Amino acid sequence: MHRSASRLTRVLACAAVPVILTVAGCSSDSGKDSGSGGAKKPSASSSAKPSAKASAALEKAAFATLPDPCKSIQAKTVETVVPEAKDKNGTATKSNDLTTRASCSWNGLDEDGLKGSQYRWLSISLVRYESHASLGSANKRAEDQYNKQVETAKAAEGAHDVKAEQAGGIGDQATSVVYGVKKDVDFFNTTIVARTQNVVITLDYNGAAYEGAGAPDQAKLLENAIAAAKEAVASVAAANEQQKQPEQQASPSAQ
């Protein structure tokens, strides 16, 4: 009887071992899932950290080309702004890439006999920027250049009585800089710096009187400069619309 009881005790003890091992195994597997074994779950810090290869996408430049600078303002505007222009078609500056940088200028001397002569000079410069991974977006690059051009105008050599102010209604942002320069006669200068998207336009306009003629009206010079600058801004948009039309005609229509 004693021997049978002892044997029964040993059987029950052995039967209990697999149960303990199973429980222990489950506990161990659970630990592997959450720790060093099996597939690891990404930590909050690692999942929130962006990939080293990821970079912010740069915006596409709004304008892909520039207009002919000598046609960026209307012929009738040239006649008004530069009376008796030597070349009404303007003189273009050479450029390696006219879609990126272009400029044109006009000058003329309007003689009025004993009343003297009026001299006028107009120059329009256009610079276009593309988005660049290391230099920034096209618009930001253009904005930086816009600010530099304004400061350059205010620091013109020999300038006196400099007055700079915002010029509304010209592109995305514009500034007029008015000043005088003493040469053989008094020159009155107006510079309009404007930005339209990724293009910067710098318009320089000045006038002087000779042989006893009355000094140029500075307010009128500014008015003419603003009118010409608005046309130049509009010509940028028009040139890019013209470029899009052939591309749209060449590409198949969306189904």
Side-chain angles (χ1 to χ4, degrees):
M1 184 71 180
H2 175 73
R3 185 176 298 174
S4 298
S6 176
R7 184 178 178 183
L8 178 59
T9 300
R10 287 198 300 270
V11 171
L12 291 175
C14 290
V17 171
V19 176
I20 295 172
L21 291 176
T22 301
V23 174
C26 291
S27 176
S28 176
D29 289 343
S30 175
K32 288 181 181 179
D33 289 342
S34 61
S36 60
K40 292 184 178 180
K41 293 182 179 180
S43 63
S45 59
S46 63
S47 61
K49 187 177 182 180
S51 168
K53 295 182 180 179
S55 59
L58 291 174
E59 64 186 16
K60 183 179 179 181
F63 298 127
T65 192
L66 293 175
D68 180 335
C70 295
K71 296 180 180 178
S72 60
I73 60 174
Q74 299 176 30
K76 63 180 182 180
T77 301
V78 173
E79 292 178 5
T80 299
V81 176
V82 188
E84 301 300 325
K86 288 182 180 179
D87 186 350
K88 294 181 179 181
N89 294 321
T91 302
T93 302
K94 292 183 179 180
S95 173
N96 293 329
D97 184 0
L98 291 173
T99 67
T100 301
R101 186 180 296 270
S103 62
C104 187
S105 63
W106 299 259
N107 70 84
L109 184 64
D110 184 13
E111 299 177 303
D112 193 13
L114 297 176
K115 294 183 180 180
S117 304
Q118 291 286 343
Y119 174 79
R120 296 291 184 272
W121 182 81
L122 172 68
S123 172
I124 294 178
S125 172
L126 305 99
V127 183
R128 185 182 64 84
Y129 292 89
E130 289 281 1
S131 293
H132 192 284
S134 60
L135 299 177
S137 70
N139 280 15
K140 180 59 170 63
R141 295 178 66 196
E143 186 174 358
D144 290 342
Q145 178 63 15
Y146 163 83
N147 291 327
K148 289 179 182 178
Q149 287 295 96
V150 171
E151 293 305 313
T152 298
K154 291 193 293 186
E157 184 177 358
H160 62 80
D161 299 324
V162 179
K163 181 181 179 181
E165 58 185 15
Q166 296 299 307
I170 309 176
D172 295 303
Q173 56 185 150
T175 298
S176 66
V177 183
V178 178
Y179 56 93
V181 175
K182 181 69 175 179
K183 296 183 180 179
D184 53 338
V185 295
D186 287 324
F187 274 76
F188 297 94
N189 296 261
T190 298
T191 297
I192 306 291
V193 182
R195 180 182 70 84
T196 174
Q197 298 279 12
N198 57 310
V199 174
V200 177
I201 299 169
T202 303
L203 183 147
D204 290 307
Y205 182 48
N206 65 53
Y210 289 91
E211 300 170 350
D217 184 336
Q218 287 183 294
K220 186 63 177 178
L221 289 177
L222 178 58
E223 180 183 332
N224 287 343
I226 289 175
K230 287 181 178 180
E231 288 187 10
V233 168
S235 73
V236 173
N240 283 271
E241 283 301 319
Q242 290 172 2
Q243 185 187 52
K244 286 179 182 178
Q245 289 175 4
E247 293 176 355
Q248 291 171 348
Q249 292 172 0
S251 62
S253 60
Q255 297 298 322

